[in-house]
Amino acid sequence: MTQIRTIGIVGAGAMGNGIAQVFAQSGFTVRLVDVAQPMLDRARATIETSLGKFVAKGKMTAEARDAALGRISTSVTVDDLAGADFVIEAIVENREAKRAIFATLDAVAPADAILASNTSSISITELGAATKRPERVVGMHFFNPVPIMALVELIRGQSTADETMKTAFALCERIGKTAVEAADYPGFIANRILVPMINEAAFAVMEGIGTPEAIDTVMKLGMNHPMGPLTLADFVGLDVCVAILDVLYDGLGDPKYRCCPLLRRMVAAGHYGRKTGKGFYTY
């Protein structure tokens, strides 16, 4: 099994900085890459705040926090991932953008390095086909907030080798996550089930069946969900929900995956949820 010591991460947004944090906490050397230094500075500040909360709650020592932060380096060039053993892509949920970065990583990363994608819906087979090492490409879908959520979906592409899957499972265990294997179909397991529910909730708002507050209350108190689907949609990002629905609709061709017009209209208006301050709720 491949020995993993250095983790490369491309994309310093909410998912990327969360992934960087959990690996650094678990003793890995982490190289976090994004296109501009301000994004990296925000990511480091977010990680510092998150680790500070663990210290305040007595879940880790100040020394462990400082050690974790010391294991994270940042860069604005993917060339600095040349020595990484395992690279995780966590950029925008867009097929073309991901294929482009995988082709670049294939040229930069060591020949025996594994390339993983944090995609929540896009085909791992397609991403692997953008490289000369499809057997060493795997889906590794973390959940937000990464330092708290225990699950990782591992997706096997058409060419993903057994050894690659074994290494990914072992890596999840080392960082304290529970891994579940999913087949390479649009949306995998989590979003194949979750996002259509969010979409149906949006249709219920559009058709006047209930307010966002009423719909979320029904799902929380009637179905014992910890968070209503529209609150969750705002947390995930309405733009991300639309992107996933488009992948489901394009990949499966079933009208039941057609994106709710209200959801698409909100995204067109720049109402993405929490990250823009306005979605189904105002923040």
Side-chain angles (χ1 to χ4, degrees), residues 217-237:
T217 298
V218 166
M219 297 306 291
K220 286 190 293 182
L221 301 186
M223 285 67 178
N224 205 29
H225 290 195
M227 183 185 298
L230 299 173
T231 299
L232 180 57
D234 278 356
F235 186 76
V236 170

Side-chain angles (χ1 to χ4, degrees), residues 41-120:
D41 293 340
R42 285 195 296 271
R44 180 169 281 277
T46 299
I47 293 169
E48 289 180 1
T49 299
S50 178
L51 291 173
K53 291 178 181 178
F54 282 117
V55 173
K57 293 177 181 178
K59 294 183 177 180
M60 71 186 306
T61 65
E63 291 76 15
R65 173 200 61 200
D66 294 342
L69 288 169
R71 296 186 191 102
I72 302 172
S73 62
T74 62
S75 174
V76 294
T77 174
V78 293
D79 291 344
D80 287 335
L81 300 181
D85 304 309
F86 196 106
V87 181
I88 302 170
E89 165 274 312
I91 67 169
V92 63
E93 191 73 354
N94 177 277
R95 179 184 285 103
E96 288 70 31
K98 288 183 185 293
R99 282 179 57 86
I101 198 63
F102 265 78
T104 299
L105 291 173
D106 189 41
V108 170
D112 61 347
I114 291 173
L115 307 180
S117 176
N118 183 56
T119 180
S120 59

Side-chain angles (χ1 to χ4, degrees), residues 31 33 57 81 104 106 110 112 131 135 142-144 165 167 172-173 176 182 205 209 240 243 271 275 279 283:
R31 297 176 183 171
V33 174
K57 293 177 181 178
L81 300 181
T104 299
D106 189 41
D112 61 347
T131 75
E135 73 284 354
F142 289 83
F143 290 76
N144 192 23
M165 293 300 293
T167 300
C172 289
E173 185 175 358
V205 173
I209 296 171
V240 175
H271 299 168
K275 57 188 170 185
Y283 302 90

Side-chain angles (χ1 to χ4, degrees), residues 1-68:
M1 189 178 298
T2 305
Q3 290 296 314
I4 308 298
R5 298 182 179 85
T6 301
I7 304 293
I9 300 168
V10 182
M15 298 305 296
N17 70 58
I19 294 167
Q21 178 181 326
V22 297
F23 277 102
Q25 282 180 248
S26 299
F28 292 89
T29 298
V30 176
R31 297 176 183 171
L32 180 61
V33 174
D34 211 315
V35 295
Q37 191 60 45
M39 298 176 184
L40 294 165
D41 293 340
R42 285 195 296 271
R44 180 169 281 277
T46 299
I47 293 169
E48 289 180 1
T49 299
S50 178
L51 291 173
K53 291 178 181 178
F54 282 117
V55 173
K57 293 177 181 178
K59 294 183 177 180
M60 71 186 306
T61 65
E63 291 76 15
R65 173 200 61 200
D66 294 342

Side-chain angles (χ1 to χ4, degrees), residues 206-268:
M206 185 181 77
E207 294 167 8
I209 296 171
T211 64
E213 293 84 357
I215 291 164
D216 280 349
T217 298
V218 166
M219 297 306 291
K220 286 190 293 182
L221 301 186
M223 285 67 178
N224 205 29
H225 290 195
M227 183 185 298
L230 299 173
T231 299
L232 180 57
D234 278 356
F235 186 76
V236 170
L238 304 189
D239 55 330
V240 175
C241 292
V242 168
I244 294 169
L245 282 163
D246 286 344
V247 169
L248 289 169
Y249 185 68
D250 292 344
L252 299 170
D254 192 321
K256 71 182 179 182
Y257 299 115
R258 179 177 64 90
C259 181
C260 174
L262 172 62
L263 195 55
R264 199 177 293 280
R265 190 174 74 211
M266 292 171 72
V267 169

